[in-house]
Amino acid sequence: MAQIKGTGILERGNIYFLYRPKVQKEQARGERDVERFYMVLSPEGKNIFREIIIGQKVLPDICRPQPR
């Protein structure tokens, strides 16, 4: 089987998901209570962290059953 040129694992590590609730909220009870959503990448064997802020327009819609 032929391998596609340029593919492979660049690095291994951990992925963490964090959020910051809106002002005056201690915790988020739903998506409307979230002010910022972050993804943090922590490569294995390196002492660095990459923080990615995920915008609301990037998140997928949540599938909900339609009322009949």
Side-chain angles (χ1 to χ4, degrees), residues 15-62:
I15 301 174
Y16 301 98
F17 295 95
L18 309 165
Y19 72 90
R20 184 173 67 197
K22 288 193 175 183
V23 177
Q24 310 261 338
K25 303 264 184 182
E26 287 193 26
Q27 63 180 343
R29 300 203 185 276
E31 60 190 48
R32 293 181 185 197
D33 293 339
V34 175
E35 181 71 28
R36 288 278 185 159
F37 189 63
Y38 303 92
M39 181 171 65
V40 178
L41 305 175
S42 174
E44 198 172 272
K46 297 180 182 176
N47 195 20
I48 61 170
F49 295 96
R50 295 184 184 104
E51 178 184 318
I52 301 167
I53 299 172
I54 301 174
Q56 187 175 14
K57 294 180 181 179
V58 176
L59 296 175
D61 291 334
I62 297 174

